Amino acid sequence: MAQIKKIKVNQEKVQLAIETGIPLTVTTYTLPLEMEQYITDILAVFLKVLNHDDIIDGLTYCVKELVNNAKKANTKRVYFKERGLDLFDQNQYDEGMKTFKTDTITNIHHYLEEQRKQGYFIKVVFQVRNNKVKIEVANRSELTFFEYKRIHDKISRGLMYSSVEEGISQLLDDTEGAGLGIVIMILILRKIGLSEENFQIVSENGQTVNRVFFPLSPKTTQLVSCITSEFAKLVEGMPEFPENISRINSMINSPDSKLSDIALEISNDVSLTGELLKMVNSAAYILSKPCNSIEEAVKLIGLRGIENLLFSIGSMGNLMSPTENSKKLWYHSYQVGFFSYNLARNFAKNDRKLIEDSYVCGLLHDMGKIVFEYAKPDQHQKIQEMCSRLNIPSRIFENLLTGINHAELGSIVARKWNFPQVLSDVIRYHHSPDEAPENHRKISEIIYVADMIAHYNDSLVDYDQIDPAILKSVGIVSEEQFQGIAERLAISFRM
């Protein structure tokens, strides 16, 4: 027997999908064995990161059952089409099913190739958002009334049995592959603490979607909150926001301050002036000519723009560390700041306030991750000791270090440093713009798209993982348009 070629799971991609709440999607047309194994390997990694090791075996069976049923449903459509039979006619359906299994098994490669040619896909989606886990298996064919009724009959039959063993012993159905498997699936869901209410079938718009959904373990959610709270205490030990920057920001927000006084206050701080002019002259602002003075900078980007850049400089001064991971985080942050500003200039031309806020919001969107990285080794050690005392699996701590729950922690830091509400809200909701306050939703959407573009350019996110409603709201309506924007922004950032 030939060895199955193993497809390696990109764990960083799985981790990022969980961090950001975006769907992790796998699409196939013929479901070869290596693809089926790849899907179940992703499921295992996905559940381990969420600390749901105890249900991996049960959900693996369920996902295998659903993807194979989806494959058979697609094959059935090709087979009936070739034979000129109408799936939705009871008599023709019964006639076709008499020979479907035998005919397709003996010529399976032909039917699988036809599925590919005719676009009969199988799509598996893994997603966690708002402490809820969703696993979907979709295929490009709507259920007929007879199929839909038959599946629900099997679900009802499954509820009659008290165990998997009882179901197997009392029900053997070989007319279609979906029979016994669906019953066992329902029994397995019950065995791992779920029920038929955690399973849903929707058939519409040319697709059938099978969905298993359940809340994150309350214990896991509690443990994550516990560790996050401990990390939040680090904020108390962090340096205060630089006094000189706080003083200048107070002047900017005072109606009694004169522009000349603000410019003079900044200019008197040689180090701050240098940093500010460096940022103003960076590629992010695409100035037509170099800016050589603070007064010029104010004219070019406005007082609000200067204020935002001061927040950026103060944050970098407090949170920059020499580790490789810190450098990687800041590089990503610079990218998102640059992308955000340019997206805002192109897709929110008439909203000057949004444009002025976009760079700093993009730059500091991952404040929570940077704080995790900033924490000193001895502080990490204290939290690890706490995890040990409370029997919290080390993996939960490690997952937090890589960014899970970082939006919540980042917003805590933003409040400590008295950041403007828009900045605090974007840090909190940059992965879930639909939950942001109405007045800050648009800028949260732009930062979300900029973040996705950066990850897309790093091959960590695929286009179909990005929320189409948010893309449309920003002004991006096709994959070709998105790819073009992503490419141009990446080239401009490197210049």
Side-chain angles (χ1 to χ4, degrees), residues 274-343:
E275 286 295 325
L276 193 54
L277 291 178
K278 180 181 174 182
M279 293 190 80
V280 171
N281 285 302
S282 71
Y285 284 92
I286 321 178
L287 301 180
S288 57
K289 62 177 183 177
C291 175
N292 299 312
S293 73
I294 295 302
E295 284 197 33
E296 274 186 78
V298 173
K299 291 176 184 176
L300 288 167
I301 66 172
L303 273 178
R304 189 180 182 87
I306 294 294
E307 180 185 25
N308 284 333
L309 288 182
L310 291 173
F311 280 120
S312 304
I313 292 167
S315 300
M316 289 188 289
N318 272 5
L319 295 175
M320 194 73 77
S321 67
T323 67
E324 283 303 311
N325 201 42
S326 177
K327 292 175 184 176
K328 183 179 176 182
L329 285 171
W330 277 110
Y331 181 79
H332 173 73
S333 296
Y334 291 136
Q335 275 189 312
V336 176
F338 176 81
F339 295 171
S340 299
Y341 182 71
N342 283 278
L343 287 172

Side-chain angles (χ1 to χ4, degrees), residues 243-286:
E243 184 182 346
N244 58 337
I245 293 179
S246 295
R247 183 173 63 254
I248 294 167
N249 279 335
S250 294
M251 291 178 68
I252 289 173
N253 287 296
S254 171
D256 299 326
S257 296
K258 296 179 182 178
L259 180 60
S260 56
D261 292 337
I262 294 169
L264 180 63
E265 183 73 25
I266 297 173
S267 299
N268 285 337
D269 190 321
V270 177
S271 175
L272 183 58
T273 299
E275 286 295 325
L276 193 54
L277 291 178
K278 180 181 174 182
M279 293 190 80
V280 171
N281 285 302
S282 71
Y285 284 92
I286 321 178

Side-chain angles (χ1 to χ4, degrees), residues 111-129:
Y111 288 105
L112 291 180
E113 185 56 31
E114 284 300 312
Q115 284 173 219
R116 185 196 303 277
K117 288 179 182 177
Q118 296 179 37
Y120 281 97
F121 62 78
I122 301 162
K123 183 164 68 174
V124 184
V125 179
F126 306 92
Q127 187 174 22
V128 57
R129 191 174 177 193

Side-chain angles (χ1 to χ4, degrees), residues 362-373:
L363 181 72
L364 300 181
H365 74 289
D366 270 347
M367 173 81 78
K369 282 189 183 182
I370 293 166
V371 170
F372 279 124
E373 181 63 26

